[in-house]
Structures are given as structure tokens and as C-alpha cells.
Amino acid sequence: MIPFTSRPTTSISGEISVPGDKSASHRALLLSALAVGRSRVRGLLEGDDVLATAGALRALGAEIVREADHWRIDGVGIGGLEEPENVLDLGNSGTGARLLMGLLASHPLTAVVTGDASLRSRPMARISTPLDQMGGRFFSRAGGRLPMTVIGAEAVMGIDYTTPVASAQVKSAVLLAGLNAPGTTIVREASATRDHTEHMLRHFGADVEIEASADGGRVIRLHGQPELTPADVQVPGDISSAAFPLVAALIAGEGEVVVRDVGLNPLRTGLLDTLVEMGADIEITNARTRQFEPVGDLVARAGSLQGVTVPAARVPSMIDEYPILAVAAAFAKGTTVMRGARELRVKESDRIAAMARGLSALGVAVEEVEDGLIVTGAGGRPPPVRLNAPIATDHDHRIAMSFLVFGIGARAPIEIDDCRMIDTSFPGFAAMMNGLGCDMAEADRGGAAV
Ligand code: S3P
């Protein structure tokens, strides 16, 4: 455990670029590995999660090498993955493990997938259920937990699958398996989830149709067994990482932060809509489309925030941003209601419980409900409290970064119990924040941090 302290800051400002989008980075590696020939990926997130996916794909036969300014991937083609010699360890990465299952289930091989304690506690039946219908076989621990053995199908069958939860990971695992099935694989989702897989599949030459319904649902049809053509991919900055410096700017008191080249896929920007509704001064500049995704620069200026009720329909477009939104809500005037987000209980940690516990230790009025949080903010810096112990992050990167951002706007330093998991999605987080004027550092155990 490496405890970390974040000290109050009254002004932060500067221009930064955050690391590459995690979702796009996993998908760029997976599709490059399935293309025949050489792909190049620029802006890849070099966080532990993505590096774990790269390691697994190497074990399946793809060549993946970091060059000076890009990653080079020599793919083996759909159907060309080899049986791995050892267990595939995806570390903390739910996306890596679940999307990879789609590849494993659709190749005639046997593989064992595991991960760290957090990943081994997360539900995998949501993936194995449809992939079993496609011909894969799965043997897991009780409750569908990892480690899991996958025996891939000799002959993959396309399916017509309606996802039971709004999950881009489930959708993507089915579509990736469908690449090696004859005929059409169909995924129906009641609420649209991030569509990076669909767009990137097209970028690599697959035939994908997306039909949007009036009620926000989608039907995605993939025509199987294409030959994927190698491609160059430019990964945009991760809006889920940009969220931390943006909220920091809003609560610091003074200053302006610019985050350059952030991916602005409309199925990912729910946090921006919510913050603007709260009265945040956030502007998008330099908006453009790069390759197949919208990108832009985000400018956030300090100001006051008002509590809002976040519509449940917005949940999929900001699912990873609830922890940092809960921090923004603690500084807002009035009550912010965040409901319809039960999925937060099965992320890298139970994020509803972790945020409720940490905010309440910090003296914030927070109510934990089954499917979310209700936070009543102080309308500015919350009164100082004396913590008896560092804030528990439950080894969750986004919980850690959220409470470090809280410390910027607090009246006394905040200590968190462990910062190591931040490297899964945002390597260099503290250095980048300190470059903006924050004061985050490994905790001085003898100091007055708590
Ligand atoms: C992701 C989808 C989301 C998200 C995760 C990344 C993806 O998970 O929380 O961080 O890259 O597809 P679910 O699909 O479980 O909602």
C-alpha cells in the first residue's frame, strides 16, 4: 500500500493532455491482433490494464512492440490465435478480460483467464452466457468468477442477443466472437452504450450496421468472417481521465484548465452535460472528428456549482464518472441525486459504498441507496474534519483519484490509503496534477495529513 496525501490548493491552471482512452486502447490492440498484417497505434494508453491486454495477445501469437512514437502490432488474422502456454492474467482489467473472452471463445483453443483480487470478484457470467450460446464452453469458480477456463468453439455460431444489462463489454465480447462466425451476429441493447467497438470494427474493414431506435436503444449487426485489414489508429485522450483535472479546476477556487485532444464520443460525455447543468463553466473548443471519433479541447474554469438530479437514462454515458461527480456534488449548493446506477456496485470496487463511506468520513451529507448516491453539498469548501484513518480506496483507481481531487478543494489535507492502482488508467496522474498547481505526494506518515 502506498498512502498518498492531497493538500488544499486555491488556484490551479494550465494546459495538459491526458493519456489515451482506455476503451479505445484495448480495442485497438484486440482488432490489430485479428487483422492480417501490420497495424500502428498512436496515443495508446500505457497503463497497466492495457499492457495486460497486450501481454495476453502476445501469448496468443500476436507481435506487439512499442516503437519510438507508436505501437506496432502484427496480427494473426481472425481464426489465427494460438493456444496460450500459460494462464492469461488480465490484472485489474475488466475490459481486457471480458473482451478477450470473446476472442478465446471463438477460437479452437483452451485458455485459463485470471486477474487480481478485484477482477476475480467481478461477475463474468454476463459474458460466458452469450458466448456459451455461440459455442464456447466455460468453467469458472462459483458465481461465474475468475479464474475461468475457456474452451473455444470449433465452429462458432452467430447469435441474436439482447443484453440483459447496459454493458459495452458484453456487447463487444459478442461482436468480437461474431467475427469468427459465419452469417450475422446481432446485439440488441435497450440503452445505447459506448460504441467504440462498432466504429473501430468498421475502421478495420468489418461490415457493421448500427440501427438506433427512438427510445435510445440500438441494434448492431455484424457480418461475420470478414478479413480485417490492418489500420493506423490514433487513440484520443480519455474523457474518463480528463474528468479529474476538470472537476479539480471547477472546485479549486480560481484558475482555468485546458485538456487537449479529448475523445468526445457522445456516448461518453454524460459527465459534461451533468456538470454544465450544475452551472459549471466548461467549454469545448477545437471540436473536430479525427479518424472515426469526435475529439476536442475542454476548458474548465473555477466557479460555483448547483445540485441536480442526474437522469437515469444518462447512466451508460457516464458510468465511470460517478465517483468524481460525487466529489463535485460535495462542493455544490444543494442536493445531487445520482440513481439508476446499480452497475457501480460491480466495478473495480463497489463504488457506491466506497464513495458513501469516504464522503461521509469527510463530513459530507451523503445517502447511500441501492442504485446510487444522494449527496448534499456544502456550496463551496466543506468544513474541515479530522480523519481517524486515511480514506479507503478499496484498491480502485477512480476512487483514489476522486478523493485526491477532493483534497484540492478541502480545508485540510486528505490522505488516501493507497495510490498504486491509479497506474491502471492514468499513469503520471499526480505529476500532471501537480504541474497544474496541486499538491499531491506520498504521505508523510508522521505528518498532519489526517
Ligand atoms: C468499458 C465499459 C464499461 C466501463 C468500463 C469500460 C468498455 O463497463 O465501466 O470502464 O471499455 O467497454 P460495462 O460494459 O460493464 O458497463
Side-chain angles (χ1 to χ4, degrees), residues 113-138:
V113 178
T114 192
D116 69 7
S118 155
L119 190 55
R120 292 195 310 272
S121 74
R122 297 181 66 184
M124 292 294 157
R126 56 179 59 192
I127 300 294
S128 56
T129 300
L131 294 180
D132 178 87
Q133 292 170 23
M134 299 179 84
R137 284 193 292 147
F138 295 84

mmCIF file of all heavy atoms in Angstrom, residues 113-138:
data_model
loop_
_atom_site.group_PDB
_atom_site.id
_atom_site.type_symbol
_atom_site.label_atom_id
_atom_site.label_comp_id
_atom_site.label_asym_id
_atom_site.label_seq_id
_atom_site.Cartn_x
_atom_site.Cartn_y
_atom_site.Cartn_z
ATOM 1 N N VAL A 113 -8.200 -17.835 -17.782
ATOM 2 C CA VAL A 113 -8.128 -16.387 -17.578
ATOM 3 C C VAL A 113 -8.254 -16.085 -16.090
ATOM 4 O O VAL A 113 -9.141 -16.613 -15.414
ATOM 5 C CB VAL A 113 -9.261 -15.674 -18.349
ATOM 6 C CG1 VAL A 113 -9.223 -14.168 -18.114
ATOM 7 C CG2 VAL A 113 -9.163 -15.981 -19.843
ATOM 8 N N THR A 114 -7.351 -15.237 -15.594
ATOM 9 C CA THR A 114 -7.463 -14.805 -14.208
ATOM 10 C C THR A 114 -7.144 -13.317 -14.108
ATOM 11 O O THR A 114 -6.944 -12.641 -15.116
ATOM 12 C CB THR A 114 -6.570 -15.673 -13.294
ATOM 13 O OG1 THR A 114 -6.926 -15.410 -11.924
ATOM 14 C CG2 THR A 114 -5.087 -15.374 -13.496
ATOM 15 N N GLY A 115 -7.117 -12.822 -12.878
ATOM 16 C CA GLY A 115 -6.814 -11.412 -12.673
ATOM 17 C C GLY A 115 -6.525 -11.174 -11.201
ATOM 18 O O GLY A 115 -6.372 -12.128 -10.428
ATOM 19 N N ASP A 116 -6.473 -9.906 -10.813
ATOM 20 C CA ASP A 116 -6.175 -9.602 -9.404
ATOM 21 C C ASP A 116 -7.432 -9.836 -8.546
ATOM 22 O O ASP A 116 -8.476 -10.250 -9.058
ATOM 23 C CB ASP A 116 -5.608 -8.181 -9.267
ATOM 24 C CG ASP A 116 -6.635 -7.088 -9.554
ATOM 25 O OD1 ASP A 116 -7.825 -7.400 -9.740
ATOM 26 O OD2 ASP A 116 -6.230 -5.908 -9.584
ATOM 27 N N ALA A 117 -7.323 -9.561 -7.246
ATOM 28 C CA ALA A 117 -8.425 -9.877 -6.329
ATOM 29 C C ALA A 117 -9.709 -9.165 -6.758
ATOM 30 O O ALA A 117 -10.803 -9.738 -6.690
ATOM 31 C CB ALA A 117 -8.036 -9.483 -4.912
ATOM 32 N N SER A 118 -9.588 -7.919 -7.227
ATOM 33 C CA SER A 118 -10.773 -7.175 -7.662
ATOM 34 C C SER A 118 -11.412 -7.863 -8.867
ATOM 35 O O SER A 118 -12.617 -8.139 -8.886
ATOM 36 C CB SER A 118 -10.360 -5.731 -8.009
ATOM 37 O OG SER A 118 -11.243 -5.156 -8.932
ATOM 38 N N LEU A 119 -10.615 -8.187 -9.868
ATOM 39 C CA LEU A 119 -11.169 -8.797 -11.091
ATOM 40 C C LEU A 119 -11.741 -10.187 -10.789
ATOM 41 O O LEU A 119 -12.764 -10.581 -11.362
ATOM 42 C CB LEU A 119 -10.082 -8.865 -12.174
ATOM 43 C CG LEU A 119 -10.533 -9.258 -13.571
ATOM 44 C CD1 LEU A 119 -11.649 -8.358 -14.095
ATOM 45 C CD2 LEU A 119 -9.359 -9.232 -14.555
ATOM 46 N N ARG A 120 -11.093 -10.900 -9.854
ATOM 47 C CA ARG A 120 -11.583 -12.246 -9.522
ATOM 48 C C ARG A 120 -12.908 -12.197 -8.767
ATOM 49 O O ARG A 120 -13.563 -13.215 -8.602
ATOM 50 C CB ARG A 120 -10.538 -13.019 -8.707
ATOM 51 C CG ARG A 120 -9.293 -13.378 -9.504
ATOM 52 C CD ARG A 120 -8.448 -14.447 -8.812
ATOM 53 N NE ARG A 120 -8.169 -14.158 -7.419
ATOM 54 C CZ ARG A 120 -7.144 -13.448 -6.965
ATOM 55 N NH1 ARG A 120 -6.266 -12.962 -7.822
ATOM 56 N NH2 ARG A 120 -6.969 -13.234 -5.683
ATOM 57 N N SER A 121 -13.288 -11.005 -8.301
ATOM 58 C CA SER A 121 -14.564 -10.909 -7.578
ATOM 59 C C SER A 121 -15.682 -10.396 -8.497
ATOM 60 O O SER A 121 -16.830 -10.293 -8.083
ATOM 61 C CB SER A 121 -14.406 -9.965 -6.382
ATOM 62 O OG SER A 121 -14.342 -8.634 -6.855
ATOM 63 N N ARG A 122 -15.379 -10.077 -9.745
ATOM 64 C CA ARG A 122 -16.380 -9.441 -10.611
ATOM 65 C C ARG A 122 -17.166 -10.472 -11.435
ATOM 66 O O ARG A 122 -16.636 -11.519 -11.788
ATOM 67 C CB ARG A 122 -15.694 -8.403 -11.520
ATOM 68 C CG ARG A 122 -15.070 -7.282 -10.687
ATOM 69 C CD ARG A 122 -14.409 -6.233 -11.534
ATOM 70 N NE ARG A 122 -15.369 -5.500 -12.344
ATOM 71 C CZ ARG A 122 -15.023 -4.586 -13.230
ATOM 72 N NH1 ARG A 122 -13.745 -4.299 -13.427
ATOM 73 N NH2 ARG A 122 -15.937 -3.949 -13.922
ATOM 74 N N PRO A 123 -18.434 -10.165 -11.739
ATOM 75 C CA PRO A 123 -19.269 -11.138 -12.452
ATOM 76 C C PRO A 123 -18.831 -11.357 -13.902
ATOM 77 O O PRO A 123 -18.625 -10.400 -14.635
ATOM 78 C CB PRO A 123 -20.662 -10.501 -12.403
ATOM 79 C CG PRO A 123 -20.439 -9.048 -12.158
ATOM 80 C CD PRO A 123 -19.150 -8.919 -11.416
ATOM 81 N N MET A 124 -18.686 -12.617 -14.266
ATOM 82 C CA MET A 124 -18.278 -12.959 -15.638
ATOM 83 C C MET A 124 -19.372 -13.744 -16.372
ATOM 84 O O MET A 124 -19.270 -13.950 -17.576
ATOM 85 C CB MET A 124 -16.996 -13.804 -15.617
ATOM 86 C CG MET A 124 -15.787 -13.037 -15.139
ATOM 87 S SD MET A 124 -15.356 -11.706 -16.297
ATOM 88 C CE MET A 124 -14.452 -10.615 -15.208
ATOM 89 N N ALA A 125 -20.429 -14.163 -15.648
ATOM 90 C CA ALA A 125 -21.488 -14.942 -16.309
ATOM 91 C C ALA A 125 -22.161 -14.111 -17.401
ATOM 92 O O ALA A 125 -22.627 -14.642 -18.400
ATOM 93 C CB ALA A 125 -22.515 -15.401 -15.281
ATOM 94 N N ARG A 126 -22.169 -12.789 -17.225
ATOM 95 C CA ARG A 126 -22.765 -11.928 -18.253
ATOM 96 C C ARG A 126 -22.048 -12.075 -19.595
ATOM 97 O O ARG A 126 -22.612 -11.765 -20.644
ATOM 98 C CB ARG A 126 -22.735 -10.465 -17.790
ATOM 99 C CG ARG A 126 -21.339 -9.994 -17.430
ATOM 100 C CD ARG A 126 -21.278 -8.542 -16.992
ATOM 101 N NE ARG A 126 -22.097 -8.249 -15.827
ATOM 102 C CZ ARG A 126 -22.375 -7.006 -15.398
ATOM 103 N NH1 ARG A 126 -21.891 -5.966 -16.058
ATOM 104 N NH2 ARG A 126 -23.092 -6.818 -14.340
ATOM 105 N N ILE A 127 -20.790 -12.513 -19.547
ATOM 106 C CA ILE A 127 -20.014 -12.747 -20.771
ATOM 107 C C ILE A 127 -20.136 -14.202 -21.211
ATOM 108 O O ILE A 127 -20.376 -14.501 -22.383
ATOM 109 C CB ILE A 127 -18.510 -12.419 -20.518
ATOM 110 C CG1 ILE A 127 -18.318 -10.965 -20.114
ATOM 111 C CG2 ILE A 127 -17.652 -12.794 -21.719
ATOM 112 C CD1 ILE A 127 -18.650 -9.957 -21.190
ATOM 113 N N SER A 128 -19.984 -15.130 -20.247
ATOM 114 C CA SER A 128 -19.970 -16.546 -20.637
ATOM 115 C C SER A 128 -21.357 -16.998 -21.124
ATOM 116 O O SER A 128 -21.436 -17.899 -21.963
ATOM 117 C CB SER A 128 -19.471 -17.424 -19.497
ATOM 118 O OG SER A 128 -20.236 -17.226 -18.345
ATOM 119 N N THR A 129 -22.430 -16.373 -20.635
ATOM 120 C CA THR A 129 -23.771 -16.809 -21.076
ATOM 121 C C THR A 129 -23.948 -16.651 -22.593
ATOM 122 O O THR A 129 -24.227 -17.639 -23.279
ATOM 123 C CB THR A 129 -24.871 -16.056 -20.278
ATOM 124 O OG1 THR A 129 -24.682 -16.378 -18.906
ATOM 125 C CG2 THR A 129 -26.265 -16.440 -20.716
ATOM 126 N N PRO A 130 -23.755 -15.468 -23.168
ATOM 127 C CA PRO A 130 -23.912 -15.393 -24.635
ATOM 128 C C PRO A 130 -22.823 -16.157 -25.383
ATOM 129 O O PRO A 130 -23.095 -16.756 -26.430
ATOM 130 C CB PRO A 130 -23.837 -13.888 -24.931
ATOM 131 C CG PRO A 130 -23.166 -13.274 -23.747
ATOM 132 C CD PRO A 130 -23.549 -14.126 -22.573
ATOM 133 N N LEU A 131 -21.596 -16.153 -24.854
ATOM 134 C CA LEU A 131 -20.518 -16.823 -25.594
ATOM 135 C C LEU A 131 -20.706 -18.340 -25.589
ATOM 136 O O LEU A 131 -20.288 -19.028 -26.519
ATOM 137 C CB LEU A 131 -19.154 -16.436 -25.004
ATOM 138 C CG LEU A 131 -18.775 -14.956 -25.184
ATOM 139 C CD1 LEU A 131 -17.411 -14.681 -24.554
ATOM 140 C CD2 LEU A 131 -18.765 -14.555 -26.663
ATOM 141 N N ASP A 132 -21.364 -18.853 -24.543
ATOM 142 C CA ASP A 132 -21.712 -20.276 -24.496
ATOM 143 C C ASP A 132 -22.703 -20.583 -25.633
ATOM 144 O O ASP A 132 -22.587 -21.586 -26.328
ATOM 145 C CB ASP A 132 -22.320 -20.534 -23.114
ATOM 146 C CG ASP A 132 -22.776 -21.942 -22.929
ATOM 147 O OD1 ASP A 132 -21.955 -22.762 -22.525
ATOM 148 O OD2 ASP A 132 -23.959 -22.205 -23.218
ATOM 149 N N GLN A 133 -23.646 -19.660 -25.846
ATOM 150 C CA GLN A 133 -24.623 -19.864 -26.943
ATOM 151 C C GLN A 133 -23.926 -19.842 -28.306
ATOM 152 O O GLN A 133 -24.439 -20.382 -29.278
ATOM 153 C CB GLN A 133 -25.706 -18.780 -26.910
ATOM 154 C CG GLN A 133 -26.617 -18.885 -25.700
ATOM 155 C CD GLN A 133 -27.526 -17.661 -25.570
ATOM 156 O OE1 GLN A 133 -27.806 -16.955 -26.529
ATOM 157 N NE2 GLN A 133 -27.987 -17.398 -24.359
ATOM 158 N N MET A 134 -22.754 -19.219 -28.351
ATOM 159 C CA MET A 134 -22.019 -19.139 -29.629
ATOM 160 C C MET A 134 -21.098 -20.341 -29.814
ATOM 161 O O MET A 134 -20.411 -20.459 -30.824
ATOM 162 C CB MET A 134 -21.223 -17.835 -29.695
ATOM 163 C CG MET A 134 -22.136 -16.615 -29.626
ATOM 164 S SD MET A 134 -21.254 -15.045 -29.684
ATOM 165 C CE MET A 134 -21.041 -14.827 -31.455
ATOM 166 N N GLY A 135 -21.054 -21.221 -28.810
ATOM 167 C CA GLY A 135 -20.273 -22.456 -28.951
ATOM 168 C C GLY A 135 -19.094 -22.586 -28.010
ATOM 169 O O GLY A 135 -18.450 -23.642 -27.966
ATOM 170 N N GLY A 136 -18.781 -21.528 -27.245
ATOM 171 C CA GLY A 136 -17.680 -21.634 -26.278
ATOM 172 C C GLY A 136 -18.133 -22.395 -25.041
ATOM 173 O O GLY A 136 -19.337 -22.496 -24.764
ATOM 174 N N ARG A 137 -17.172 -22.966 -24.320
ATOM 175 C CA ARG A 137 -17.524 -23.621 -23.043
ATOM 176 C C ARG A 137 -16.695 -22.986 -21.939
ATOM 177 O O ARG A 137 -15.515 -22.651 -22.139
ATOM 178 C CB ARG A 137 -17.290 -25.123 -23.131
ATOM 179 C CG ARG A 137 -18.397 -25.797 -23.942
ATOM 180 C CD ARG A 137 -18.369 -27.295 -23.777
ATOM 181 N NE ARG A 137 -17.171 -27.851 -24.410
ATOM 182 C CZ ARG A 137 -16.517 -28.927 -23.964
ATOM 183 N NH1 ARG A 137 -16.910 -29.545 -22.874
ATOM 184 N NH2 ARG A 137 -15.460 -29.381 -24.615
ATOM 185 N N PHE A 138 -17.297 -22.838 -20.767
ATOM 186 C CA PHE A 138 -16.663 -22.082 -19.677
ATOM 187 C C PHE A 138 -16.756 -22.856 -18.379
ATOM 188 O O PHE A 138 -17.807 -23.406 -18.054
ATOM 189 C CB PHE A 138 -17.384 -20.735 -19.495
ATOM 190 C CG PHE A 138 -17.250 -19.832 -20.688
ATOM 191 C CD1 PHE A 138 -18.100 -19.961 -21.778
ATOM 192 C CD2 PHE A 138 -16.245 -18.877 -20.741
ATOM 193 C CE1 PHE A 138 -17.960 -19.149 -22.897
ATOM 194 C CE2 PHE A 138 -16.104 -18.062 -21.854
ATOM 195 C CZ PHE A 138 -16.966 -18.203 -22.930
#
